[in-house]
Amino acid sequence: MLDPTAAYRTAQVASASRAGQVVLLYQGAIRFATQHLAFIERNDIEQAHKASIRAQEIVTALRGSLDLSAGPIAAQLDQLYDFVMRRLVDGNLTKEPRPTEEAIKVLRGLLEAWQEIATRPTSGLVDDPVVEPVPTRLPVGRPALVSAGSYAAGGARR
């Protein structure tokens, strides 16, 4: 049976810009990490584990899409993704909330930055000294939609 919400979300991911897709991935990672915390609180260890793994998979996809030749920002993002992954794994292993909360805090900061990038105009304002131009080369490549897009969209795992 076709889930209209999943179809809408899939279309949303497919039609988003590269920066918009990264925003959706961050939102998905935060959502699943937050679910992990809620399941821990309810002592539902199996669902907590599944939610944490989904958050980890999204961060892995984000990290794998980095274009490290784009400059120092990409290298810094790689280090942040490494930190986030270690905290998510630690939170999943120990079932303590603090590591996952730390990962969520970093992801939220990155989400805010990418939301700003995603909303910038792409043309016409380069000569305006008040408005910074959108970088012509983002530090990430096109996110892998097959492996992580369904997670960001909240679709069922297949």
Side-chain angles (χ1 to χ4, degrees), residues 57-125:
E57 288 174 338
I58 293 170
V59 173
T60 298
L62 285 163
R63 193 173 187 192
S65 70
L66 282 176
D67 178 1
L68 294 175
S69 68
I73 292 176
Q76 291 170 347
L77 279 172
D78 186 54
Q79 292 172 347
L80 286 170
Y81 292 152
D82 179 61
F83 173 79
V84 168
M85 278 298 294
R86 285 185 283 120
R87 301 314 293 153
L88 289 172
V89 169
D90 191 38
N92 195 25
L93 290 174
T94 64
K95 303 303 184 223
E96 293 292 324
R98 185 170 181 186
T100 303
E101 290 167 348
E102 291 172 358
I104 291 170
K105 184 176 180 179
V106 172
L107 289 169
R108 283 188 176 139
L110 291 168
L111 171 62
E112 288 177 19
W114 278 100
Q115 285 174 324
E116 183 180 324
I117 290 169
T119 60
R120 288 185 184 171
T122 57
S123 64
L125 297 175

